[in-house]
Amino acid sequence: MKSSLIALSAAAVVALVITGVKDRGALLGKFGIGRSNLQTDRPMQPGTLDSQPIDVQAVADRLQEAAPVLKAQAPQPQQAAAPAAQPQPAWEGRSAQQLPAPQPAAQPKVDESALRYFASRGDKVRLQAEISRLQALYPDWVPPADPLAVPQGGDKQLETMWQLYAEGRYAELRKAITDRRTVDASWQPPADLIDRLDVAEARARLVNASDLKQYTTVIEIGAATPSLLTCSDIDVLWRLAEAFVHTGREARSIDAYSYILKNCTNPQERVASVQKASALLPYQAMQRLLALEQPAVSGAREFDSIRDELARRFVAEGNADPKLDVSADYVSRVARLAQNQGLASDALLLGWYQLRRENAPEAEKWFRAARAKQDSASASQGLALALVARKAPQEAEDVMYRWRSDTKDATDTYLAAAANLMALQPPADISEDVLGRMAKETIAHKYVPAAQQFGWYARSLNQPHTAARWFETALRWKPDDEPSAYGLAITHEQLNNRKGVAEVQRIWAGRSQRIASLDDASQSPPSVEAPLQAPAPQGVARAAVRAQPADGGGATERPGPVVRTEMSATQTVIEQGGTRQPRGCSTTADANLLSPDAALSRGWCLMDLNRPMEAVAAFERALKGSARQTREDAAYGQSLAYLRAGLSNNAAVAATRAPQSRERAAELQVSILADRALAAYGAKRYRETLIYLDQRAQLKRETIDLMVLRGYCYLNLEMYGDAERIFNAAAATGSKDANRGLADLKQATRPETSG
């Protein structure tokens, strides 16, 4: 005997024999594979033993009694077969005349070659399984009294064939069968051996196709060989499920994994199935599979050993899809892992997850925790985005500067943080070093949004020549950047460069209404700070700065609001500090002949008399003083005077002539923005008006009058839903102007009912 080489076939032989008698119809229905694809099924002839009903339940029961270890591989019970006198499914659709006549039952010859094969190896478990199989197929068959005894004078050639099968040498086995039949035409190979060989070769082809990622072929082979698709060969089921996913049949993949979790009992294989499924299937599909979890022997849940891994995977999936509602249990589990194990990777998962859901404070907490454990480009990038979201771009720029060249995404995030820093209102106090490094990176990467923001920032510092150069630079990099062109036009106007203005207007003729009109050419454009877009998962930032003033042309005219600014927007400013002695200014006097302190007092006096332009001259004289407080108060007063006169741009320039406290700067900015909004509305630049109102609303709560102004902007832009919302909110306070706005809205949308 060649007993040393036969053991390799034991497990595969028994499993495949058992699964061969499984209910193929149920299996095919489970996986959605049509029976017409079964190319290797041999047609059954009426009256043969193969067409007789098989009590598979009895086989399974005996297997369980004889070999409990095979329980996980036992096939599912087959439904009781119809009486032998009734036609089998193979003949469905034939007429009664076409049905073959019943033949007398013949005593079958039992093929005991596999039985002797297992006996030769002394494998009692598989021997008992083979005995049970043969008893199920042939109820009258009696097993040998001593099945472990190998009969003398056995078929040595057949034993050699079984050995080739056990070693996986299928081509040699085919040749051996052909050679013997050539020599002995009367010899027929055991049907069991042929069936096993067919299945083994099909399995080898399926595995090879799966390894080569030929997923359609995998499905075709599975359809043709359904006896492979059982718990006895879990790897084939895994490969088939993967093939379904990669061919766009996710539902069939879910069916395959569900079949495993409903029918297969091996604990390790069940856990591995969930792990494999989680790498292929989306979150919602995985919840369906996890619902098939069974209680563990210890009383815990079956998949507790991989629940941390699953939670991390699900949270990561939530990073990729901000609309995915991941269960709070998974998020909490990852949070506990981050706290208990202290891994930077867990903190990063949570940071990106929260940032994608616009929860900047929570995201910032986790990104800071990740940087504390391990400072990295991803952690710094996430933290910078969270800081920009809460309007702290100065820290964001500082955080990202070290990592600015790590990846393209890191570079984009740094440049966007820099642009947002310069877009702050009121303008931030940026050191020369920071400005220098931001400018260097902007030029190196030709980043248009930052170049444009440098232009606006220079204008806020009353440096029009510098602003013009930055706008021109941005236009060289991106000739169709309309905001930069608009900035260049108004800067040329500020410099009284009419030729430059005309050239910009010529280039943009027909493309920008506001450049063509320049109704208020000295107007400083809005610099709207806008947070970055939500990032992609794991630090893939898609940075964008929305600091571009909108085009206000082309709107249909609507009735205008009655905005009550009885005295001036400057009344919203709390006049702090300064030495105000409003007396001795009723007569005309030359402010240049006064001392700086006296000129300052005269300026405040003239403001009380509502003579703002004379006050401007007095404050101008006070600005020439050497005392810091006097110069600060003079700049503040001159800004208020310009606002009183309706010259908001001059007011903005005046405010920069001496350092102001943060409170004063904010108050001035609120008033300047309100005046600019009124001026833009008067010039019918409604979108620009909304930008100024949005800027002001970031600094101070919007008044009812300005809410009405906002409503009329929406009305003129035909944004009727937004207009109705604003008018209703303002009308609830008792505003008559808001009620008038609702009437105008009704007239615009339903003129037939507003008569």
Side-chain angles (χ1 to χ4, degrees):
M1 290 189 302
K2 300 178 182 179
S3 57
S4 61
L5 299 174
I6 304 179
L8 297 174
S9 65
V13 170
V14 176
L16 294 174
V17 169
I18 294 173
T19 57
V21 297
K22 190 171 177 64
D23 183 357
R24 293 187 178 187
L27 200 69
L28 300 182
K30 181 67 179 175
F31 296 117
I33 303 172
R35 185 172 179 79
S36 61
N37 294 327
L38 304 184
Q39 300 171 355
T40 61
D41 281 356
R42 292 180 300 179
M44 298 181 182
Q45 298 299 323
T48 62
L49 290 173
D50 285 344
S51 65
Q52 300 303 315
I54 300 172
D55 187 359
V56 181
Q57 182 62 57
V59 177
D61 292 343
R62 282 193 289 272
L63 281 173
Q64 187 174 17
E65 295 172 0
V69 295
L70 294 179
K71 183 177 180 181
Q73 300 177 349
Q76 296 301 300
Q78 181 172 316
Q79 299 295 328
Q86 296 186 7
Q88 298 297 313
W91 300 301
E92 287 182 358
R94 298 185 186 181
S95 64
Q97 290 79 5
Q98 293 174 313
L99 293 178
Q103 299 180 6
Q107 188 68 21
K109 180 180 179 181
V110 179
D111 179 8
E112 298 181 356
S113 57
L115 186 71
R116 292 194 300 272
Y117 171 76
F118 294 127
S120 70
R121 298 301 303 144
D123 192 334
K124 296 182 179 180
V125 173
R126 291 174 176 80
L127 176 63
Q128 183 58 49
E130 179 65 9
I131 291 173
S132 298
R133 185 185 74 86
L134 293 175
Q135 286 178 331
L137 291 172
Y138 313 108
D140 296 333
W141 175 76
V142 178
D146 186 6
L148 293 180
V150 179
Q152 297 296 321
D155 190 334
K156 298 299 183 183
Q157 286 183 285
L158 184 58
E159 293 291 344
T160 301
M161 293 178 188
W162 280 109
Q163 180 178 333
L164 292 173
Y165 170 80
E167 295 173 358
R169 296 156 63 184
Y170 305 131
E172 295 180 47
L173 175 55
R174 287 284 185 194
K175 184 177 185 304
I177 293 173
T178 301
D179 291 346
R180 182 165 179 178
R181 294 193 65 184
T182 301
V183 174
D184 183 3
S186 63
W187 180 81
Q188 292 292 332
D192 183 42
L193 177 61
I194 296 299
D195 286 343
R196 293 169 191 250
L197 179 57
D198 289 341
V199 171
E201 288 177 331
R203 185 188 190 282
R205 292 197 305 275
L206 185 147
V207 170
N208 182 63
S210 176
D211 291 342
L212 295 175
K213 304 187 185 305
Q214 298 171 351
Y215 298 115
T216 301
T217 303
V218 172
I219 295 173
E220 291 174 351
I221 296 173
T225 321
S227 58
L228 284 173
L229 311 180
T230 65
C231 299
S232 61
D233 197 342
I234 202 76
D235 182 63
V236 170
L237 290 175
W238 289 340
R239 292 175 184 272
L240 183 64
E242 180 184 12
F244 280 134
V245 170
H246 289 294
T247 54
R249 287 175 265 188
E250 183 181 296
R252 298 277 69 81
S253 179
I254 296 173
D255 288 341
Y257 286 119
S258 297
Y259 174 83
I260 295 173
L261 297 178
K262 290 178 180 178
N263 298 278
C264 306
T265 58
N266 184 291
Q268 291 77 23
E269 291 177 347
R270 290 172 62 84
V271 171
S273 297
V274 173
Q275 289 175 306
K276 287 180 175 291
S278 67
L280 295 171
L281 295 177
Y283 173 79
Q284 296 297 346
M286 285 303 303
Q287 304 318 300
R288 291 173 54 186
L289 296 181
L290 291 172
L292 301 176
E293 185 177 26
Q294 297 177 355
V297 177
S298 62
R301 290 184 294 179
E302 181 180 14
F303 302 135
D304 276 352
S305 62
I306 60 171
R307 208 165 299 277
D308 290 348
E309 171 191 337
L310 292 175
R312 289 182 172 114
R313 187 180 296 274
F314 295 151
V315 171
E317 190 173 343
N319 293 347
D321 182 5
K323 296 181 180 179
L324 179 61
D325 185 18
V326 178
S327 171
D329 291 342
Y330 295 124
V331 179
S332 299
R333 179 176 285 269
V334 177
R336 287 195 299 272
L337 290 171
Q339 292 169 349
N340 297 336
Q341 299 181 7
L343 296 178
S345 57
D346 289 334
L348 276 176
L349 276 177
L350 293 165
W352 289 115
Y353 181 83
Q354 297 296 346
L355 191 63
R356 293 284 280 170
R357 281 147 189 80
E358 299 182 0
N359 188 355
E362 191 71 9
E364 181 180 345
K365 179 186 79 173
W366 288 113
F367 284 129
R368 289 192 185 278
R371 291 184 83 235
K373 292 293 180 182
Q374 180 183 356
D375 191 6
S376 64
S378 180
S380 298
Q381 200 170 334
L383 178 58
L385 294 168
L387 289 168
V388 169
R390 72 166 176 87
K391 301 184 183 356
Q394 196 153 8
E395 185 181 355
E397 186 275 339
D398 184 64
V399 165
M400 276 307 299
Y401 182 70
R402 171 188 171 188
W403 300 100
R404 67 193 184 282
S405 302
D406 189 74
T407 64
K408 183 181 184 302
D409 290 328
T411 300
D412 290 345
T413 302
Y414 171 77
L415 292 171
N420 274 269
L421 171 56
M422 289 182 290
L424 284 178
Q425 292 294 336
D429 182 14
I430 308 175
S431 69
E432 290 293 331
D433 290 342
V434 174
L435 278 173
R437 72 190 191 188
M438 290 194 305
K440 180 180 178 181
E441 295 298 321
T442 298
I443 294 171
H445 298 282
K446 297 183 178 180
Y447 190 66
V448 174
Q452 181 195 130
Q453 285 304 321
F454 265 112
W456 300 131
Y457 189 75
R459 283 181 57 82
S460 72
L461 299 179
N462 196 27
Q463 298 175 2
H465 291 90
T466 302
R469 286 196 295 272
W470 276 110
F471 288 134
E472 289 169 349
T473 300
L475 287 169
R476 281 200 304 272
W477 296 340
K478 190 174 186 292
D480 62 345
D481 187 44
E482 192 270 354
S484 294
Y486 178 66
L488 181 60
I490 62 175
T491 304
H492 281 324
E493 182 70 16
Q494 181 181 356
L495 293 170
N496 199 27
N497 181 3
R498 297 307 306 167
K499 183 178 178 181
V501 172
E503 179 63 15
V504 175
Q505 289 179 322
R506 183 190 65 80
I507 294 173
W508 285 85
R511 291 192 290 164
S512 173
Q513 178 63 35
R514 61 178 178 174
I515 292 177
S517 61
L518 285 183
D519 294 326
D520 182 6
S522 63
Q523 179 184 29
S524 177
S527 299
V528 181
E529 175 200 354
L532 299 177
Q533 296 176 356
Q538 295 301 311
V540 184
R542 296 291 180 265
V545 181
R546 298 189 297 273
Q548 305 169 1
D551 190 342
T556 303
E557 294 304 316
R558 298 293 180 197
V562 180
V563 181
R564 289 173 170 76
T565 54
E566 285 83 355
M567 295 183 66
S568 172
T570 57
Q571 287 190 326
T572 63
V573 179
I574 301 174
E575 297 177 350
Q576 307 175 39
T579 55
R580 299 189 56 185
Q581 299 174 355
R583 61 179 180 271
C585 63
S586 58
T587 60
T588 302
D590 187 356
N592 290 323
L593 301 177
L594 302 175
S595 67
D597 288 340
L600 180 64
S601 298
R602 180 176 175 81
W604 290 122
C605 176
L606 292 168
M607 286 290 287
D608 286 342
L609 295 177
N610 201 23
R611 292 158 61 183
M613 294 312 295
E614 293 179 64
V616 166
F619 288 129
E620 181 67 27
R621 173 67 184 97
L623 277 167
K624 297 177 180 178
S626 58
R628 181 180 179 278
Q629 186 63 50
T630 299
R631 296 185 69 253
E632 179 179 333
D633 290 343
Y636 181 64
Q638 193 175 59
S639 296
L640 296 179
Y642 277 127
L643 283 172
R644 184 77 60 85
L647 301 174
S648 56
N649 296 304
N650 300 71
V653 173
T656 64
R657 300 186 65 182
Q660 301 290 328
S661 67
R662 189 171 185 84
E663 292 76 12
R664 275 188 175 181
E667 298 279 352
L668 282 172
Q669 189 68 17
V670 166
S671 294
I672 291 170
L673 291 171
D675 269 19
R676 286 178 175 173
L678 292 172
Y681 186 89
K684 300 179 182 179
R685 297 194 298 268
Y686 305 116
R687 294 186 184 276
E688 197 169 303
T689 304
L690 291 173
I691 291 176
Y692 288 129
L693 290 176
D694 288 341
Q695 285 183 283
R696 185 192 179 281
Q698 292 179 8
L699 302 175
K700 190 172 183 179
R701 184 175 180 179
E702 201 160 76
T703 63
I704 299 301
D705 287 346
L706 292 179
M707 285 180 65
V708 174
L709 182 67
R710 181 185 292 274
Y712 272 99
C713 286
Y714 288 137
L715 177 59
N716 280 285
L717 293 172
E718 297 183 3
M719 301 169 64
Y720 298 130
D722 290 327
E724 183 177 11
R725 174 175 55 83
I726 294 297
F727 284 142
N728 280 328
T733 67
S735 170
K736 294 181 180 180
D737 294 334
N739 286 318
R740 186 180 299 108
L742 288 171
D744 291 337
L745 175 64
K746 184 177 180 181
Q747 173 65 31
T749 56
R750 290 172 291 175
E752 69 282 357
T753 62
S754 59

